[in-house]
Amino acid sequence: MLPLKKDKKEEEEGGGNPFNNLEKSSVLQEARTFNETPINPRKCGHILTKVLYIINQGESIGQTEATEAFFAMTKLFQSKDPILRRLVYLGIKEMSKIAQDVIIVTSSLMKDMTGKEDQFRGPAIRALCSVTDHSMLQSIERYMKQAIVDKVPGVSSAALVSALHLGKDSQEVIKRWVNEAQEAVNSDNVMVQFHALGLLYYIRKTDKLAVNKLVSKFSKHTLKSPYAYCLLIRIASKLIEEEDAGSESPMFDFIESCLRHKSEMVIYEAAHAIVQLKNTTAKDLAPAVSVLQLFCSSPKPTLRFAAVRTLNKVAIKHPAAVTACSLDLENLQTDVNRSIATLAITTLLKTGNESSVDRHMKQISSFMSEISDEFKIVVVQAIRSVCVKFPRKHNVLMTYLAQMLRDEGTFDYKREIVDCIIVTIEENPEAKEVGLAHLCEFIEDCEHTVLATKILHLLGKEGPRTPTPSKYIRFIYNRVILENAAVRAAAVSAIAKFGAHCDDLLDSCIVLLERCQLDTDDEVRDRATFYVNVLKQQQKSLSSAFILNGLQVSVVGLEWALHQYTLEPSETEFDMKSVPLATQPLMEQEVRDVPGEAPSARPAQEKVAASRQDVYQEQLAQVPELANLGLLFKSSQPMEVTESETEYYIQCVKHTFSNYLVFQFDCTNTLNDQLLEKVTVEIEPAEGFEVTKYIPCPSLPYNKPGTTYTLVRLPAEPTQVTGTFACTLKFLVKDCDPQTGEPDDEGYDDEYVLEDVEVSVADHVQRVMKPNFAASWEEVGPENELEDTYSLSTMSTIEEAIKNIVQYIGLQPCERSDKVPEGKSSHTLYLAGVFRGGHDALVRAKLALDSSGVTMQLTVRSTDPSVSEVLATAVA
Amino acid sequence: MDGGLLEPSLYSIKAIAILDNDGNRLLAKYYDDTFPNTKEQRNFEKNVFNKTHRANAEIVMFEGLTCVYKSNVDLFFYVVGSSMENELILSSVLNAFYDSTSQILRKNVEKRALLDNLDAVFLAADELCDGGIILEADSNSIVQKVAIRNDDIPLGEQTMAQITSKYGQQVSAATDRVMYHSFNPVSYQNGQAQSR
């Protein structure tokens, strides 16, 4: 019985698909039948279908084979059989990219294109354009123009679409067809209208004014095609985006009016566009949200999906706007389409309140296994935002995340979970131990090296400061035994951190590290040897400098400095202090991905760019007069010294070198009838400072930014570092013709008063993050300690006081001490950094809140006495 | 990383495909280089099929793409676009694709009929979308442009007799096929070719 059954199955399969098991070579062999006369249309049609089928299956056909088949195919033009002819067009299009000399069919196709058979004309045009190249285009241009305005819609559409395809290579030629396209937009056929609008926009898209006109024209004149409307909405919202306009733009009115269109497609496009716009307020969103709400109860899954996905986006920026839809979203939680259900729940998580979290989480976990990884990431992101919003819920969420970590998943998914846990740990001290425990468990069985090293680093940083650091060591040491070299090296560093931080674990850690010295990998061995030797010294300051704090210079800067050092060999040793420090990234608001978007674009934003300071360093080195000032210590943020709407727009950046200050003025001339020459900024220096050089900007034409520098020597007295500088812009004006920019020969001197530039203590220090403040504090020692008590009567809260202190002193808050736990009336702020010249500077500020304001006890330690003095006076 | 809005353009379709109930490709057209070679295309088809063949949910987000689909008996129709694309536009294209195929196959939307009319379905796909631009989204117009049967008479104008004769032919062709095939698969192929 059994073999018989099998035969039957094979039979069925073979019978089911006559195209099954087609051999490429035999089919191409069969294609020779095309050369026979008279042509048998049915037979040839069938063979041609087979050829198309194997091409469609993705068989690769060699150039010679394709050329041969192509030429055989051209014989079929003799037959008038319509279906055969149409198949030939398809064959030509498929082979046009592989075969040689395809232009041979041009004349046959041109005959069909201008012939009487309307059914041939459209497809013939499309086939023709697939074989035409740039040089041949001239010869068919006339026919194409005629075809665009042809009264048969199929012909016109074919010509318009082909024009767009051709436009990729021959934009210039296509531009000449604008009048024809214009005429075609007025066609009664919806598709022709859509294609013509597309072509018109394509031709004009670089000309903003013309695009503007295009939109305002067609938004009044009613289009028939919903596709054309969608396109017009996209064009309009792009214009709004470019102009950075909001709801006051006339384009916005047009988009809003589309919310009342009769086609759902257009309504959705308009709602989507409004949601995507940047400068929208909750009020602008309201009508869009209400149409989306209606769509939520549509019987069509696609429409529900589209609606809830867009609402999810709204919830990121304006959670309040979506609350009205809560009820509809609740209903969607049980949708058969899991994507819709996931989106609905994650939206609810973002907008809902604390009490509903448990319920939603339960709902998601019921079908977590059924949804794709992309949606799992959406869920994780939603959990992340909930973690931040409701810190008290961390217990439920952490368990849930840990469970997801244990399940199968791709790297992106796992990374997202790990990131989420890390963020939660950092934001919420209560969640730290639970989170670390989950992560420890995860690395026990983690196949992704990147994640494992990341977690080990985190364990090294956070683990020693938990109440029972010893329990993490086992997890970490297991990695040394079981993992690859990269993970082992990370584990070694982590163990060393435990040793440096916890005295009672020091001996055990040294024993473990000594075992690692026998590792097979160089890096692991080197690290272990280094750490063992440092730890054995048992000096807090050494451990702190080499294990806990690590290297804090900018990598690009170090590379540059080492390169310079090797270029000019000298007797002196390389000085680490001469290397610019890595600028601490400010607390940046990370832009979260919109759920479900392509993850492919993400790596770009993670790429480490050369820091702003490194760019300035390069830029200043280009100016010969400033090239030998040494290494740039710090550059300030640009600040405006004019109002932005005035004749000249100027920004100032302060660069600090070890003995000099450079003021960089970036100037823009906003008057189109003036040319400025010899532009300098004259500075009235504060006491002790001395202006040594002006580097003028030779000419400043209209709207072309130029730069002038002023060099100031710092006072010899080390405690004198701050001051106010009065600035005046001096220049030679030449009137010129606004159109041509041709200046007059004669000019006159003029000046323009700028706002004063302040130099503060913050300009002389660089922020440095000390992960272990206490160790660094001991490392620097009480030698140059200064202490003082201040009463900050103007501050009413500790948060406000911290914000101001950080701003005045310009140092980096360490150990998250800039965040005050709620309800506390006293707090200690730790600040760390490096003063100009490479002196470590540490500040401890004890703050207490009482009825009269905030009282502060400020203690400064530094490796240089004058630095302590400067910092201690900075707040006063 | 949200790219905001799509660049206004007519290129809205990334791919269309018809797969059978084992996930094999019967027809697939890719219009841009999201999947540059056959291997990646096949892989994509396999994945998307695994995601969709059980759950009849009409729409799925997949590998950063939006994919709308529809199935009948042993055929799966797919239309794929960017994840930023208007889902309703994709769905309108899918409907046009499905409806026109259905009309060409005379409501008999299954693999067998599709393969018998593969030439017409190829032509329909070509009329639906050209290089990623929606060419025609009305199924009736598509069928009108395609459905010129070999007997040169438009569908609507065929007499009842002609239709029965054609069906009769098909029935006898089918019988032939079974007979031929049980003896010799090669002659079956030829027989099939001639019977058309």
Side-chain angles (χ1 to χ4, degrees):
Chain A
M1 258 329 263
L2 215 67
L4 191 72
K5 232 181 179 174
K6 199 182 162 209
D7 273 351
K8 212 170 178 184
K9 184 138 193 255
E10 268 173 12
E11 203 171 276
E12 244 170 38
E13 253 170 27
N17 186 353
F19 298 97
N20 218 0
N21 308 322
L22 279 182
E23 278 274 330
K24 180 179 82 176
S25 50
S26 66
V27 173
L28 291 174
Q29 195 83 27
E30 272 187 87
R32 295 197 179 151
T33 325
F34 298 164
N35 292 319
E36 285 170 10
T37 43
I39 291 165
N40 177 345
R42 283 184 192 194
K43 196 173 163 195
C44 292
H46 188 66
I47 295 170
L48 196 49
T49 310
K50 283 192 206 167
V51 174
L52 289 172
Y53 181 81
I54 58 162
I55 294 177
N56 202 277
Q57 288 295 313
E59 290 264 6
S60 63
I61 296 178
Q63 195 181 50
T64 31
E65 289 170 310
T67 311
E68 199 177 313
F70 187 85
F71 274 78
M73 212 158 60
T74 59
K75 299 285 195 302
L76 298 178
F77 271 106
Q78 289 166 16
S79 163
K80 287 229 177 323
D81 183 83
I83 212 129
L84 180 62
R85 180 69 61 88
R86 304 278 302 280
L87 288 171
V88 170
Y89 297 147
L90 278 193
I92 290 173
K93 281 203 281 189
E94 293 289 352
M95 294 206 183
S96 64
K97 296 287 169 288
I98 1 178
Q100 279 180 316
D101 300 327
V102 286
I103 48 167
I104 196 97
V105 290
T106 306
S107 62
S108 305
L109 288 172
M110 269 167 77
K111 219 172 95 196
D112 283 353
M113 166 182 172
T114 51
K116 280 197 296 264
E117 286 276 7
D118 283 345
Q119 270 155 345
F120 290 169
R121 292 174 60 203
I125 291 171
R126 291 189 285 128
L128 178 62
C129 290
S130 76
V131 297
T132 305
D133 62 4
H134 183 65
S135 54
M136 292 289 296
L137 193 57
Q138 310 281 355
S139 58
I140 61 164
E141 189 179 351
R142 190 163 62 89
Y143 300 103
M144 286 297 288
K145 279 185 174 178
Q146 275 170 12
I148 289 175
V149 293
D150 199 283
K151 61 182 188 311
V152 181
V155 176
S156 179
S157 272
L160 288 162
V161 170
S162 303
L164 268 167
H165 293 323
L166 290 169
K168 285 178 194 156
D169 298 325
S170 331
Q171 205 169 1
E172 286 313 304
V173 183
I174 307 304
K175 275 192 176 156
R176 295 201 292 260
W177 303 356
V178 63
N179 287 335
E180 283 74 15
Q182 195 107 39
E183 201 178 323
V185 185
N186 299 323
S187 160
D188 285 334
N189 183 284
V190 286
M191 290 320 277
V192 174
Q193 201 172 59
F194 168 56
H195 295 138
L197 185 66
L199 184 63
L200 259 188
Y201 173 68
Y202 179 79
I203 293 173
R204 294 192 171 156
K205 71 177 170 190
T206 45
D207 181 354
K208 214 161 138 190
L209 203 67
V211 175
N212 240 318
K213 266 193 202 153
L214 187 89
V215 178
S216 49
K217 181 178 166 202
F218 289 108
S219 56
K220 284 181 199 87
H221 155 283
T222 43
L223 293 163
K224 278 188 188 149
S225 158
Y227 296 111
Y229 259 109
C230 290
L231 182 67
L232 206 57
I233 291 171
R234 277 182 209 174
I235 299 173
S237 55
K238 190 173 179 229
L239 281 175
I240 297 179
E241 195 98 318
E242 279 173 355
E243 286 165 8
D244 216 18
S247 52
E248 74 284 355
S249 159
M251 300 290 163
F252 186 83
D253 293 341
F254 161 67
I255 298 179
E256 205 188 356
S257 73
C258 289
L259 289 172
R260 293 180 289 278
H261 195 265
K262 59 182 186 301
S263 157
E264 280 173 345
M265 188 192 291
V266 178
I267 300 175
Y268 172 65
E269 184 74 44
H272 182 76
I274 292 177
V275 168
Q276 291 281 343
L277 286 178
K278 282 200 193 82
N279 304 330
T280 42
T281 59
K283 190 168 152 269
D284 302 328
L285 286 174
V289 170
S290 62
V291 299
L292 292 171
Q293 186 179 2
L294 279 182
F295 286 169
C296 279
S297 45
S298 155
K300 294 182 200 157
T302 309
L303 196 50
R304 291 201 302 272
F305 177 88
V308 69
R309 187 164 156 231
T310 313
L311 284 175
N312 198 339
K313 275 178 204 152
V314 182
I316 296 173
K317 267 194 289 178
H318 303 278
V322 190
T323 26
C325 311
S326 293
L327 205 63
D328 304 81
L329 291 170
E330 296 266 355
N331 292 334
L332 291 179
Q333 284 189 28
T334 46
D335 201 290
V336 279
N337 186 326
R338 288 312 186 198
S339 312
I340 297 178
T342 315
L343 285 169
I345 296 178
T346 48
T347 314
L348 282 171
L349 276 176
K350 281 179 201 137
T351 58
N353 50 22
E354 196 161 344
S355 55
S356 59
V357 171
D358 288 306
R359 194 160 47 89
H360 296 315
M361 294 306 294
K362 217 172 190 172
Q363 197 110 35
I364 298 184
S365 45
S366 64
F367 58 80
M368 197 66 185
S369 56
E370 291 171 44
I371 57 179
S372 70
D373 269 10
E374 261 140 4
F375 277 99
K376 287 180 183 164
I377 292 176
V378 175
V379 173
V380 176
Q381 285 167 353
I383 296 179
R384 181 165 163 164
S385 67
V386 175
C387 285
V388 176
K389 213 161 103 191
F390 308 121
R392 268 182 290 173
K393 281 284 160 197
H394 71 85
N395 241 332
V396 188
L397 299 168
M398 274 292 183
T399 349
Y400 188 65
L401 286 171
Q403 207 171 348
M404 295 203 289
L405 261 183
R406 278 195 287 273
D407 295 338
E408 286 292 299
T410 56
F411 172 66
D412 281 327
Y413 172 46
K414 287 282 156 86
R415 186 182 59 184
E416 199 65 43
I417 303 177
V418 170
D419 281 351
C420 177
I421 296 184
I422 292 178
V423 167
T424 316
I425 291 174
E426 283 175 357
E427 291 286 327
N428 187 350
E430 285 167 40
K432 191 193 271 182
E433 278 202 63
V434 195
L436 288 180
H438 287 316
L439 291 176
C440 282
E441 216 166 285
F442 173 59
I443 50 170
E444 288 282 280
D445 183 25
C446 169
E447 56 197 317
H448 308 293
T449 305
V450 183
L451 289 182
T453 48
K454 190 170 183 176
I455 293 172
L456 284 169
H457 178 74
L458 181 82
L459 285 177
K461 210 171 78 185
E462 301 288 347
R465 271 181 277 163
T466 55
T468 47
S470 57
K471 70 175 175 192
Y472 299 106
I473 302 237
R474 181 175 63 87
F475 289 103
I476 299 174
Y477 191 66
N478 278 348
R479 298 304 99 213
V480 177
I481 305 171
L482 299 168
E483 291 281 356
N484 60 31
V487 179
R488 289 204 302 272
V492 166
S493 303
I495 293 178
K497 282 186 187 147
F498 278 88
H501 202 286
C502 316
D503 293 327
D504 45 337
L505 293 176
L506 180 62
D507 292 334
S508 333
C509 287
I510 291 181
V511 173
L512 292 179
L513 289 174
E514 274 169 344
R515 283 190 210 161
C516 299
Q517 286 175 320
L518 305 171
D519 199 278
T520 48
D521 185 79
D522 290 348
E523 172 70 21
V524 181
R525 251 188 345 257
D526 288 353
R527 282 195 193 192
T529 314
F530 173 71
Y531 289 135
V532 167
N533 284 313
V534 175
L535 287 176
K536 277 188 175 163
Q537 304 296 316
Q538 303 220 355
Q539 287 177 24
K540 273 277 158 207
S541 59
L542 263 184
S543 310
S544 156
F546 291 106
I547 299 178
L548 297 176
N549 288 340
L551 204 59
Q552 277 166 337
V553 293
S554 116
V555 177
V556 186
L558 179 63
E559 191 186 343
W560 189 80
L562 285 172
H563 182 66
Q564 292 296 317
Y565 184 72
T566 48
L567 284 184
E568 296 157 19
S570 68
E571 292 298 304
T572 54
E573 283 179 12
F574 180 74
D575 182 14
M576 270 307 262
K577 282 188 177 159
S578 67
V579 180
L581 293 160
T583 31
Q584 276 298 326
L586 300 169
M587 294 297 285
E588 56 197 40
Q589 199 71 42
E590 196 185 345
V591 188
R592 296 302 309 159
D593 297 358
V594 171
E597 302 313 334
S600 54
R602 205 181 294 159
Q605 84 187 33
E606 285 174 3
K607 212 165 64 186
V608 180
S611 69
R612 205 171 60 89
Q613 188 162 349
D614 296 320
V615 176
Y616 279 131
Q617 172 86 46
E618 285 279 297
Q619 206 179 336
L620 291 175
Q622 304 286 318
V623 184
E625 290 92 334
L626 301 177
N628 49 10
L629 290 177
L631 269 157
L632 177 60
F633 179 72
K634 182 176 184 175
S635 297
S636 70
Q637 292 292 330
M639 60 179 234
E640 289 174 14
V641 287
T642 57
E643 305 281 324
S644 57
E645 301 288 314
T646 48
E647 299 95 307
Y648 315 111
Y649 175 62
I650 297 168
Q651 281 191 323
C652 173
V653 182
K654 293 166 282 183
H655 302 289
T656 314
F657 290 87
S658 42
N659 296 317
Y660 288 92
L661 272 177
V662 173
F663 293 86
Q664 173 183 342
F665 295 94
D666 293 324
C667 318
T668 310
N669 171 9
T670 60
L671 299 176
N672 61 0
D673 56 354
Q674 281 192 358
L675 173 78
L676 308 189
E677 284 185 355
K678 298 183 196 143
V679 184
T680 56
V681 175
E682 209 167 274
I683 287 185
E684 193 72 42
E687 202 187 325
F689 292 81
E690 183 195 346
V691 177
T692 52
K693 202 172 276 175
Y694 291 108
I695 297 149
C697 175
S699 121
L700 193 64
Y702 165 63
N703 223 0
K704 289 219 179 79
T707 305
T708 162
Y709 300 93
T710 304
L711 183 65
V712 173
R713 191 208 300 276
L714 288 165
E717 175 59 45
T719 53
Q720 198 175 15
V721 292
T722 57
T724 305
F725 296 78
C727 304
T728 317
L729 188 71
K730 300 218 164 172
F731 47 85
L732 181 77
V733 185
K734 285 184 177 171
D735 291 326
C736 66
D737 187 325
Q739 262 81 45
T740 59
E742 197 69 36
D744 294 349
D745 298 333
E746 295 285 304
Y748 53 91
D749 285 320
D750 201 352
E751 58 178 52
Y752 188 86
V753 179
L754 306 176
E755 285 168 30
D756 294 349
V757 179
E758 289 276 350
V759 174
S760 65
V761 176
D763 290 317
H764 298 275
V765 291
Q766 184 69 277
R767 290 160 164 248
V768 171
M769 174 66 105
K770 302 269 187 199
N772 186 338
F773 187 82
S776 313
W777 186 255
E778 291 309 317
E779 182 191 335
V780 173
E783 209 172 318
N784 301 315
E785 188 174 291
L786 280 179
E787 198 169 81
D788 214 339
T789 309
Y790 302 87
S791 156
L792 312 170
S793 52
T794 50
M795 321 276 176
S796 54
T797 62
I798 292 188
E799 285 87 352
E800 195 188 340
I802 289 178
K803 214 180 112 204
N804 281 299
I805 296 166
V806 171
Q807 196 189 337
Y808 281 125
I809 303 190
L811 295 174
Q812 174 72 28
C814 295
E815 299 185 0
R816 311 186 74 76
S817 61
D818 53 332
K819 298 228 166 122
V820 188
E822 251 172 84
K824 286 271 187 72
S825 62
S826 64
H827 183 72
T828 309
L829 172 70
Y830 302 113
L831 299 169
V834 171
F835 195 81
R836 174 169 54 82
H839 304 291
D840 272 335
L842 300 169
V843 172
R844 187 182 66 197
K846 290 185 176 162
L847 300 157
L849 186 68
D850 57 31
S851 54
S852 64
V854 179
T855 316
M856 172 176 75
Q857 187 192 43
L858 191 76
T859 315
V860 185
R861 283 187 179 187
S862 160
T863 44
D864 185 273
S866 55
V867 171
S868 299
E869 203 182 321
V870 167
L871 288 175
T873 51
V875 183
Chain B
M1 88 125 231
D2 175 17
L5 293 157
L6 278 182
E7 174 71 10
S9 138
L10 294 189
Y11 293 89
S12 45
I13 310 292
K14 284 182 183 287
I16 60 173
I18 305 178
L19 307 182
D20 71 6
N21 56 349
D22 295 320
N24 295 319
R25 177 196 287 188
L26 298 176
L27 179 156
K29 295 289 269 167
Y30 289 82
Y31 299 112
D32 66 3
D33 40 13
T34 316
F35 303 100
N37 55 46
T38 314
K39 203 176 142 217
E40 284 180 42
Q41 292 174 3
R42 292 274 181 171
N43 200 16
F44 171 73
E45 284 161 27
K46 202 181 98 213
N47 291 337
V48 93
F49 179 76
N50 286 338
K51 272 255 126 64
T52 53
H53 76 284
R54 267 174 288 122
N56 198 3
E58 281 194 27
I59 182 160
V60 67
M61 300 270 302
F62 189 70
E63 295 182 7
L65 300 168
T66 300
C67 182
V68 289
Y69 61 101
K70 202 168 195 167
S71 65
N72 192 16
V73 194
D74 50 2
L75 291 178
F76 289 80
F77 292 74
Y78 295 92
V79 172
V80 183
S82 143
S83 65
M84 295 304 297
E85 188 52 70
N86 185 332
E87 290 88 346
L88 302 184
I89 291 183
L90 298 178
S91 150
S92 74
V93 174
L94 177 71
N95 287 336
F97 189 29
Y98 183 87
D99 293 345
S100 56
T101 312
S102 164
Q103 284 183 48
I104 290 167
L105 306 181
R106 299 189 183 80
K107 299 232 162 62
N108 196 11
V109 185
E110 51 187 342
K111 186 177 173 187
R112 188 66 220 226
L114 180 93
L115 289 168
D116 286 342
N117 294 284
L118 195 60
D119 46 359
V121 178
F122 271 141
L123 292 177
D126 180 59
E127 291 294 347
L128 175 76
C129 179
D130 185 86
I133 300 179
I134 306 165
L135 194 61
E136 179 57 77
D138 175 41
S139 58
N140 290 324
S141 319
I142 295 176
V143 174
Q144 230 169 41
K145 287 181 190 171
V146 175
I148 354 154
R149 295 309 317 168
N150 288 355
D151 36 31
D152 276 355
I153 305 169
L155 189 64
E157 290 165 41
Q158 285 182 16
T159 60
M160 204 54 211
Q162 278 169 324
I163 292 172
T164 25
S165 78
K166 190 191 281 165
Y167 274 104
Q169 224 175 18
Q170 276 186 357
V171 171
S172 68
T175 334
D176 283 355
R177 234 175 339 242
V178 173
M179 284 175 64
Y180 269 115
H181 189 49
S182 49
F183 299 117
N184 182 354
V186 177
S187 67
Y188 147 70
Q189 292 265 338
N190 298 337
Q192 218 255 340
Q194 263 140 29
S195 75
R196 299 187 81 238

